[in-house]
Amino acid sequence: MTPALRELEALFPRGLLRQPGELVAYESDALTAFRARPLAVVLPESHEEVAAAVRWCQKHRIPYVARGSGTSLSGGSLPVEGGLVIGLNRMNKLLRLDPKERIAVVQPGFINLQVSLAAAPYSLYYAPDPSSQPVSTIGGNLAFNSGGAHCLKYGMTSNHVLGARVVLPDGETALLGSESLEGIGPDWLGLFVGSEGLLGIATEVTLRLLPRPEAYHTVLAAYDTLEKAGEAVAAVVASGLLPGAMEIMDSLAIEAAEAAVGAGYPREARALLIVELEGETPQVEAEARHLERVIRDSGAYEVRVAQSEAERMKIWKGRKAAFSAVGRLSPDYIVQDGVVPRSKLGQALAEIERLSERYGLRVANVFHAGDGNLHPLILYNGRVAGELERAEELAGEILKLCVALGGSITGEHGVGMEKRAYMPVMFTPADLEAMRRIRRAIDPLELANRGKMFPGSEAKPLSHGPHPLEKAGVIARE
Amino acid sequence: MQHRIDPEKIGPQGEVMAHAIEACVHCGFCLPACPTYQVLGEEMDSPRGRIFLMKEVLEGNLSLEEAQPYIDKCLGCLGCVTACPSGVPYGELITSFRAYSEPKRWRSPFQKVFRLGLQETLPYPARFRAAAVLGRLARPLKPLLPPALRAPLELLPEALPPTKPLPALTPAEGPRRSRVALLAGCAQQVLQPGFNWATLRVLARNGVEVVVPQNQVCCGALALHTGERARALHLARKNLEAFAGDYDTILTNAAGCGSGLKEYPLLFRGEPEQDQAQRLAEKVKDISVFLVELGLKEVPPLPHPLRVAYHDACHLAHAQGVRNEPRQLLRSIPGVELVEIPEGELCCGSAGTYNLEQPHIAAALGERKARNILATGAQAVVTGNIGCFAQIEAHLKKLGRPIPVLHTIELLDRAYTGQAPVPAAPADP
Amino acid sequence: MSSLRPTHPKEVQEAVRSHPRLLPRGGGSKPALSTPRERQVALELIGLSGVLEYNPGEYVVVARAGTPLSELEALLKAHGQYLPFDPPFARQGATLGGTVAAGLSGPMRNRYGGVRDFILGVEFVDGLGNLVRGGGKVVKNAAGFDLPKLMVGSLGRLGVLTELAFKVFPYPKATATLEVAFPNLGEALEALYRLAASPIELYALDLVPPSRLVLRLGGLPEALSPRLERLERFLNQQGERLQGEAEEAYWEGVNDLGRLGEGYLVKVALTPRRIPTLEARLGAAPRRYMSAGHLLYLAWNEPLEALDEALRAEGLPGLVLRGVVANPRIGLNLEGPFGLKVTAALDPQGRFERYAAPN
């Protein structure tokens, strides 16, 4: 063992993982196309331990990644080959919940859904609801600015994080934001949220809680074409309504969701639209009448309204399980996360269908229609030679399409490992250079989550060869 | 998930394992459902992590010794199966992997004797009874024993109830509505023989004739889940014979045994009795499911209202998908107020012989379960599995709040026979 | 003092490259922030104006930074939409860029959020004269660092804003306002807390000291009067109702923060918990707490040092918008090395005013 590792062992007498059987489990997050073996994993239990781990990395120039539940779909929590994984899932406490001020202060390993469960007795909840919410941690949500089904109306994680205590890449501590919804001076916290772990590690996060809406009105409409469902969304928007969520699933996604959770969706539908109104009862009742007219005129052949909370949850369960459920249809898949302007949805879907045919790969579509966030799921079989490459190429085509239509390469999954090559499609060299300058100002050695977000970085994720530091004799893995 | 496993090389279970690994997309939805991940907070102690480890072992990239400690820590509670959106048959994977790896692994002489002791005792009521009596006598020696032997002693009851053999046939009261065969369970015959007697009474009362095939043996689940496939097959063959009679339904009142019988098709995969095993498995029903389908005769009200917490046994809820029926039965007893236990999906840590093999994790889970139960303010806990029963009873006692623990069928029986459902005790505020 | 008047981002780049010290200026509605100091050249952005993209169905609008709020709001209103963060000084010539740089929102921010919650994309010229874009033009986007949010409240310190993209929402089809008086501050605050934690959706939840709440409801006209009744039942008391043109006019009046009173005009970010002790320090200064006690605007006629001290004592940051000051940032300063490093990354040569942090 090298002196550096002995030092690390002294810092983490419990909570240091070094054995192959331990490290294997950390090689991937939810994007298994990428794997990298870390040098070690540490499981800190306090802010001070996180700072100690970061300072150790700084001292020995070892790159690192902070990891929560490892549910990133962009490879954001993929280890840096030969680097350190700082696993934060043991820092999973709710530190404070103040129902009067409507805030919750949590450690980064606290699970998203648990925030709402803890707040439920006060009729409050935490709004961002990524599909991974029963699993994903607030720390990871913060790093990747997670979204969910309700972003049009309520925004993303960034809009619900008020403050954070962070360990900067030099090991120092910074407090960003406050408990107020307002701020004075540049919004440093706004920059930090969504920075994909490149600017530091949050160890305490102050979240804003919202009052739980008094009433929900959830409508499930079935269509015989995807276009009609897309047009229905445009019609809802044009009517001046502002639903909390509008979601569309195509037939392949319906099939998967039905197989997984038996949500009771009309199986033969070519497209399903979920629209959810929420708010004060008299207002929702009035809006529901307007919505009914809009949906009726949109050519839906079947319309269901959830009559109880149980029915509502069932509708959502199918939608939320849809991604993982696709595992039932195909051994492998790539989830994409592009965004297009809502008015270009139809065009984008038609183009994706064309690409799907051209590449000979099935594509299931699940998307947040209200905010134009597409989630094409590209199905492939990794055991068939060349299919992964074809799938990746198809995914790239879809991303370029999204940018060409005026959108974004990622709505909520982040750039991570997966989409860094497409950053230049969306940003000019000057844009990327400005971001890089910020990154280097905070982390001159580029140790924090090295190899993510920026194109052409140094990490080689698919190889298992010796780390450059290993070759140089700085580290060893005996 | 992609893999490079060659099922041919692994044997009849290779295909099963390869399929399960393929279905996993590594999404992580299993993490919050996994008791060991909740306690240990390490990826390799999660279902997703274990799948990765098993894959690496089967591909030949990782030695069995490296992976084994984490595979061993799996309770087999199948909480992950309920949580999994991709439909990974994790239970089949871990059972097959244990069968695959057991002959290949090194075990210390002590471990071997200990495991052999368990396998040769627990499934055999007479031997288990004798061992339990000895164990109780050995209690004063506990501090002198190795830790692995202390845990079993703690779980033994203060006194073993008397046993008398179950009748081969119990006739229906009134017109016969159905005829069933009952699997009596092994450990429960020694520890809680009352469960079976209550079962017979409730069934008879509801017009059901019950046959208890006298040549039945342990279902083999204990052996199967610890990788002792040959032993499990040996036991299961006897049961194929014992339950070959003309029954539409084979009833179980222990969740573990029920799911054990339902696993026969997996166990017999590639064996000549494969079809027979399939037919048997299709007839197996938990007592609660059977009674709900049959329709209960009216239940008289309890003498006083009772707040009851229902504990989902993993092998009912996760392995058999039985959640509503026991609750439905309890609700049909006038006077019962049913409450839900926080973190109800989480295993209590009993899990067959797990509390004997991994006592620390089992104890952490047992205490967590007991605290969650007490948080409901329930006056009694009801469950449908002997293992959970013993574990919960022991941990409630440890916390100094020993509220009564009952089998679902016991509470029903007491309501029918007009007995006090639980000994009079001050209600918890 | 000289000034420059670019009409194209390229001219902004040239201006930045050729002047060592610049202060960007929009409509001049917040003079404490836009009056050039010694050796600074004013960079007038009012010529960099106009809406670039607006498709009402997208709920997105893209405009040049010098576009006056009034112009953009008129366009949005014609399509039944609005900027939900309710930027102040619309009729006083405030521009989009100035609003973002100052980080200002108005009373209606209570419903859906402040300017940081609605900014989607930004284009700016950094201290090296590079034209940089961040964010996007769609309502959901997680690509790259969130530079748009970084610019909110940046006071021109990180770059000169040239183009901005915002999310917009449909304006409520009808609105109504309820003004409720309470016997004392304590009871008014209690009601404020209860309202803020309730599912009642208020476009504005303002506290006007000493003890009045002004509440604004919006939505479909047919639901408005039952909701007003529910609101009164919830508060257990009747209020004074305002509807129609008078109501619109009332809020237009509030939007012009200058009307609060003479002297310095100051923004304070806070939480409602601070209000009781802060109230005891503010004397007769005219003021209004907005967004359930998270945002305070006040007029101050005493020496600014006194207010600075009061805010420090409460641990609160403040920003002077009107009045002659050396440094508009008063009260608590939370600035640490993180901010300094980011500032140095975007403006390494120190062309922009950094407002040395108050000590």
Side-chain angles (χ1 to χ4, degrees):
Chain A
M1 192 184 276
T2 63
L5 277 169
R6 267 199 294 280
E7 232 175 81
L8 190 62
E9 204 172 49
L11 290 171
F12 293 91
R14 58 187 222 107
L16 171 67
L17 309 178
R18 287 269 295 125
Q19 299 310 313
E22 298 168 330
L23 298 180
V24 158
Y26 287 88
E27 283 186 7
S28 274
D29 51 23
L31 184 64
T32 52
F34 295 106
R35 286 179 65 178
R37 174 77 58 95
L39 169 72
V41 177
V42 291
L43 301 168
E45 296 184 30
S46 67
H47 172 86
E48 288 68 29
E49 285 192 356
V50 174
V54 168
R55 275 196 291 268
W56 179 86
C57 290
Q58 179 83 4
K59 180 177 168 193
H60 300 284
R61 306 200 159 203
I62 293 185
Y64 57 91
V65 57
R67 185 184 194 275
S69 291
T71 58
S72 173
L73 289 166
S74 61
S77 48
L78 178 79
V80 185
E81 183 79 38
L84 188 69
V85 171
I86 303 178
L88 296 165
N89 53 300
R90 282 188 185 168
M91 288 179 70
N92 59 358
K93 310 224 165 23
L94 172 68
L95 300 173
R96 189 155 65 86
L97 195 146
D98 186 339
K100 211 170 169 186
E101 299 283 331
R102 288 169 291 133
I103 57 166
V105 183
V106 302
Q107 288 187 318
F110 200 68
I111 305 291
N112 172 308
L113 187 63
Q114 297 292 329
V115 182
S116 288
L117 291 179
Y122 311 100
S123 299
L124 299 172
Y125 79 114
Y126 175 64
D129 63 341
S131 293
S132 62
Q133 72 177 148
V135 196
S136 59
T137 64
I138 291 297
N141 288 178
L142 183 151
F144 283 80
N145 195 12
S146 300
H150 295 80
C151 293
L152 174 62
K153 191 166 177 180
Y154 295 102
M156 309 184 30
T157 297
S158 190
N159 306 99
H160 299 269
V161 173
L162 297 175
R165 184 183 191 205
V166 308
V167 174
L168 299 175
D170 60 3
E172 295 301 309
T173 296
L175 295 171
L176 306 177
S178 69
E179 289 183 10
S180 176
L181 292 169
E182 281 284 328
I184 303 282
D187 193 345
W188 307 121
L189 178 71
L191 171 68
F192 188 82
V193 177
S195 60
E196 306 202 354
L198 269 59
L199 301 181
I201 301 175
T203 58
E204 271 181 44
V205 187
T206 304
L207 303 172
R208 169 160 86 115
L209 303 173
L210 301 183
R212 204 181 130 80
E214 185 181 15
Y216 289 96
H217 180 82
T218 311
V219 178
L220 181 75
Y223 295 86
D224 52 15
T225 69
L226 204 49
E227 288 69 38
K228 280 187 193 166
E231 283 158 16
V233 170
V236 171
V237 168
S239 75
L241 290 171
L242 184 59
M246 282 185 278
E247 302 282 307
I248 292 181
M249 298 166 76
D250 74 0
S251 49
L252 214 47
I254 297 166
E255 185 190 332
E258 272 303 299
V261 298
Y265 294 155
R267 278 171 186 270
E268 70 298 337
R270 295 305 302 271
L272 282 183
L273 169 66
I274 302 171
V275 183
E276 185 164 274
L277 302 169
E278 60 196 15
E280 279 182 65
T281 307
Q283 172 74 10
V284 169
E285 283 169 358
E287 286 182 356
R289 285 191 290 275
H290 287 262
L291 179 65
E292 195 193 330
R293 251 197 317 278
V294 175
I295 296 290
R296 198 179 51 218
D297 295 345
S298 71
Y301 73 84
E302 188 180 335
V303 179
R304 296 184 196 165
V305 178
Q307 300 297 332
S308 66
E309 182 61 16
E311 281 184 35
R312 173 176 171 253
M313 291 322 290
K314 209 168 157 194
I315 289 177
W316 277 111
K317 198 172 177 189
R319 165 61 190 86
K320 298 228 166 189
F323 280 11
S324 314
V326 166
R328 292 173 189 257
L329 304 184
S330 166
D332 301 287
Y333 65 84
I334 295 177
V335 186
Q336 269 310 346
D337 176 40
V339 185
V340 296
R342 207 185 301 98
S343 60
K344 307 271 171 63
L345 269 177
Q347 196 182 334
L349 290 169
E351 187 65 17
I352 288 171
E353 200 175 340
R354 214 177 53 75
L355 286 167
S356 161
E357 275 165 29
R358 199 171 92 208
Y359 281 83
L361 294 171
R362 289 186 297 167
V363 178
N365 282 292
V366 177
F367 52 96
H368 306 301
D371 41 37
N373 188 188
L374 298 168
H375 287 309
L377 296 124
I378 301 159
L379 313 190
Y380 71 97
N381 184 348
R383 301 175 90 181
V384 177
E387 270 208 9
L388 168 64
E389 291 71 21
R390 279 221 312 286
E392 284 181 332
E393 206 177 306
L394 169 54
E397 288 292 319
I398 293 176
L399 293 184
K400 287 182 203 155
L401 168 72
C402 290
V403 176
L405 291 174
S408 169
I409 57 173
T410 172
E412 53 187 359
H413 298 170
V415 177
M417 191 71 210
E418 186 203 18
K419 291 182 282 282
R420 58 192 188 127
Y422 297 93
M423 283 289 273
V425 182
M426 189 160 164
F427 295 107
T428 66
D431 305 341
L432 290 171
E433 184 47 35
M435 292 183 202
R436 254 207 196 98
R437 286 207 310 272
I438 292 174
R439 192 255 179 109
R440 288 193 186 129
I442 301 295
D443 180 15
L445 298 174
E446 303 194 1
L447 296 176
N449 214 2
R450 175 184 288 177
K452 314 292 166 58
M453 192 198 277
F454 289 106
S457 301
E458 48 289 272
K460 281 196 220 91
L462 288 168
S463 83
H464 275 95
H467 186 267
L469 296 174
E470 232 176 331
K471 279 191 201 152
V474 180
I475 53 168
R477 339 176 180 198
E478 71 284 332
Chain B
M1 193 161 53
Q2 292 178 56
H3 63 81
R4 264 165 279 150
I5 299 167
D6 183 356
E8 303 283 298
K9 281 191 191 155
I10 297 164
Q13 251 90 36
E15 205 57 61
V16 174
M17 292 192 276
H19 163 69
I21 288 166
E22 236 164 61
C24 174
V25 299
H26 223 244
C27 67
F29 273 59
C30 52
L31 300 183
C34 178
T36 55
Y37 184 78
Q38 289 299 310
V39 171
L40 301 165
E42 298 173 337
E43 186 74 26
M44 58 283 178
D45 289 309
S46 74
R48 177 174 77 170
R50 290 189 186 101
I51 292 173
F52 227 117
L53 288 170
M54 290 187 261
K55 168 175 117 66
E56 292 294 297
V57 171
L58 294 172
E59 285 180 346
N61 302 326
L62 187 73
S63 74
L64 188 57
E65 289 69 42
E66 292 279 359
Q68 206 71 59
Y70 311 105
I71 307 298
D72 285 352
K73 279 186 204 140
C74 172
L75 294 128
C77 71
L78 306 187
C80 53
V81 172
T82 299
C84 178
S86 305
V88 175
Y90 178 85
E92 295 184 4
L93 172 62
I94 189 98
T95 299
S96 304
F97 187 84
R98 282 175 169 165
Y100 162 82
S101 61
E102 190 58 35
K104 297 183 174 54
R105 70 186 295 185
W106 182 88
R107 286 193 186 274
S108 72
F110 172 78
Q111 274 184 328
K112 281 186 183 159
V113 172
F114 180 62
R115 282 173 59 88
L116 188 67
L118 290 178
Q119 297 290 349
E120 286 290 338
T121 320
L122 287 182
Y124 305 95
R127 294 184 205 168
F128 180 35
R129 191 175 164 77
V133 170
L134 278 177
R136 287 205 316 103
L137 292 176
R139 257 193 196 167
L141 304 175
K142 206 173 88 180
L144 305 175
L145 295 174
L149 287 181
R150 285 179 215 159
L153 292 187
E154 279 173 22
L155 288 169
L156 286 176
E158 285 303 320
L160 286 181
T163 49
K164 68 180 181 186
L166 295 171
L169 189 134
T170 306
E173 287 171 26
R176 194 177 93 177
R177 296 164 74 197
S178 184
R179 179 169 183 267
V180 301
L182 177 71
L183 181 82
C186 29
Q188 84 173 6
Q189 288 190 62
V190 177
L191 295 173
Q192 295 293 335
F195 291 1
N196 280 331
W197 290 102
T199 302
L200 294 179
R201 280 192 295 273
V202 171
L203 286 171
R205 172 112 180 191
N206 279 284
V208 181
E209 181 177 290
V210 189
V211 179
V212 180
Q214 299 292 297
N215 50 345
Q216 62 174 283
V217 295
C218 167
C219 66
L222 220 52
L224 183 62
H225 291 156
T226 47
E228 304 275 354
R229 182 163 177 267
R231 187 182 290 274
L233 264 177
H234 170 75
L235 292 167
R237 284 206 169 95
K238 292 191 173 176
N239 278 335
L240 283 188
E241 215 169 285
F243 288 92
D246 179 25
Y247 318 109
D248 292 338
T249 306
I250 298 169
L251 279 191
T252 62
N253 56 7
C257 308
S259 76
L261 292 182
K262 286 182 179 174
E263 272 184 290
Y264 277 12
L266 173 70
L267 177 62
F268 281 98
R269 190 179 291 246
E271 303 287 332
E273 301 93 333
Q274 202 171 329
D275 293 344
Q276 205 183 337
Q278 183 66 40
R279 281 196 300 277
L280 177 134
E282 282 163 10
K283 292 181 185 176
V284 175
K285 262 184 200 158
D286 185 71
I287 177 84
S288 61
V289 176
F290 175 78
L291 285 174
V292 165
E293 285 174 3
L294 182 76
L296 271 189
K297 286 193 175 165
E298 197 185 339
V299 189
L302 296 178
H304 53 78
L306 188 71
R307 176 182 272 211
V308 174
Y310 175 72
H311 162 74
D312 278 303
C314 294
H315 283 95
L316 264 186
H318 301 308
Q320 302 184 58
V322 175
R323 294 181 181 83
N324 294 331
E325 291 85 350
R327 288 178 169 81
Q328 232 172 304
L329 289 185
L330 293 171
R331 278 198 204 95
S332 64
I333 306 173
V336 163
E337 182 202 345
L338 193 60
V339 292
E340 290 296 325
I341 303 171
E343 298 188 322
E345 300 269 295
L346 211 60
C347 178
C348 66
S350 166
T353 56
Y354 190 86
N355 50 13
L356 307 182
E357 298 189 5
Q358 302 279 352
H360 295 297
I361 301 170
L365 291 169
E367 182 182 332
R368 187 161 170 167
K369 182 59 71 184
R371 287 190 190 282
N372 276 326
I373 288 170
L374 292 172
T376 63
Q379 295 160 286
V381 200
V382 168
T383 187
N385 193 42
I386 176 70
C388 310
F389 180 98
Q391 172 85 343
I392 289 172
E393 193 172 52
H395 281 277
L396 286 169
K397 203 168 121 192
K398 257 193 188 162
L399 291 179
R401 308 266 304 276
I403 59 170
V405 187
L406 298 168
H407 192 290
T408 316
I409 204 73
E410 278 188 300
L411 189 58
L412 206 52
D413 178 46
R414 288 180 195 183
Y416 273 126
T417 54
Q419 298 172 55
V422 298
D428 207 80
Chain C
M1 229 173 291
S2 63
S3 75
L4 303 161
R5 231 177 208 276
T7 53
H8 191 274
K10 273 210 163 55
E11 295 171 22
V12 178
Q13 287 180 275
E14 282 159 23
V16 169
R17 286 187 181 131
S18 51
H19 293 81
R21 308 269 286 142
L22 296 114
L23 187 77
R25 182 188 144 101
S29 61
K30 300 166 279 283
L33 305 175
S34 55
T35 309
R37 284 146 182 82
E38 216 178 320
R39 293 186 296 132
Q40 280 178 342
V41 173
L43 190 57
E44 303 277 357
L45 291 158
I46 203 78
L48 202 66
S49 173
V51 173
L52 300 173
E53 290 174 41
Y54 177 49
N55 173 352
E58 294 295 348
Y59 288 176
V60 173
V61 64
V62 184
R64 296 261 195 236
T67 310
L69 288 175
S70 54
E71 185 187 320
L72 179 63
E73 288 187 335
L75 174 68
L76 293 173
K77 196 172 180 183
H79 292 89
Q81 297 185 340
Y82 77 127
L83 290 168
F85 56 95
D86 192 14
F89 301 117
R91 298 191 169 216
Q92 287 66 47
T95 61
L96 278 177
T99 300
V100 169
L104 297 189
S105 303
M108 293 233 275
R109 82 171 306 296
N110 187 61
R111 180 70 186 94
Y112 294 112
V115 55
R116 82 184 295 270
D117 300 304
F118 283 86
I119 187 166
L120 299 175
V122 65
E123 181 195 79
F124 65 96
V125 176
D126 72 7
L128 295 170
N130 296 324
L131 192 66
V132 177
R133 271 181 184 279
K137 296 170 184 175
V138 278
V139 296
K140 199 170 176 188
N141 176 25
F145 290 152
D146 196 340
L147 301 182
K149 274 202 186 58
L150 176 62
M151 292 298 152
V152 173
S154 63
L155 302 176
R157 155 181 177 176
L158 306 171
V160 183
L161 300 172
T162 53
E163 187 186 309
L164 294 155
F166 292 98
K167 177 163 84 168
V168 298
F169 276 167
Y171 191 76
K173 292 210 160 69
T175 56
T177 294
L178 190 72
E179 215 177 311
V180 195
F182 292 86
N184 54 52
L185 177 69
E187 286 183 42
L189 267 178
E190 217 34 63
L192 176 145
Y193 270 122
R194 279 182 58 225
L195 282 166
S198 81
I200 296 175
E201 294 165 341
L202 296 171
Y203 276 77
L205 170 43
D206 286 8
L207 167 69
V208 183
S211 56
R212 233 163 9 109
L213 293 187
V214 186
L215 315 171
R216 191 175 202 195
L217 281 174
L220 293 171
E222 60 265 39
L224 215 48
S225 83
R227 289 173 67 201
L228 273 168
E229 281 158 29
R230 271 161 45 105
L231 182 56
E232 284 177 331
R233 273 202 304 280
F234 182 89
L235 291 168
N236 237 335
Q237 74 179 85
Q238 306 241 307
E240 201 175 309
R241 292 188 189 187
L242 262 177
Q243 256 163 312
E245 276 173 30
E247 197 247 4
E248 292 280 345
Y250 171 82
W251 289 106
E252 262 169 35
V254 174
N255 183 276
D256 179 6
L257 298 172
R259 287 202 219 167
L260 267 177
E262 299 296 308
Y264 296 105
L265 183 68
V266 180
K267 168 191 165 175
V268 179
L270 75 169
T271 58
R273 195 175 53 213
R274 303 278 177 198
I275 294 178
T277 47
L278 186 63
E279 274 298 282
R281 297 176 191 275
L282 295 181
R287 56 192 179 267
R288 186 178 185 108
Y289 295 90
M290 298 175 178
S291 201
H294 280 260
L295 171 61
L296 163 65
Y297 286 111
L298 78 157
W300 187 257
N301 257 318
E302 316 276 317
L304 197 58
E305 292 72 31
L307 181 60
D308 183 43
E309 220 166 276
L311 292 180
R312 276 160 200 269
E314 290 299 321
L316 296 172
L319 179 69
V320 182
L321 307 174
R322 182 185 67 195
V324 182
V325 287
N327 186 345
R329 297 188 58 178
I330 60 171
L332 180 76
N333 167 51
L334 285 169
E335 200 117 330
F338 185 85
L340 297 177
K341 286 177 182 173
V342 175
T343 306
L346 290 176
D347 180 23
Q349 292 152 357
R351 289 177 196 271
F352 306 129
E353 177 61 56
R354 291 185 186 180
Y355 299 118
N359 300 308

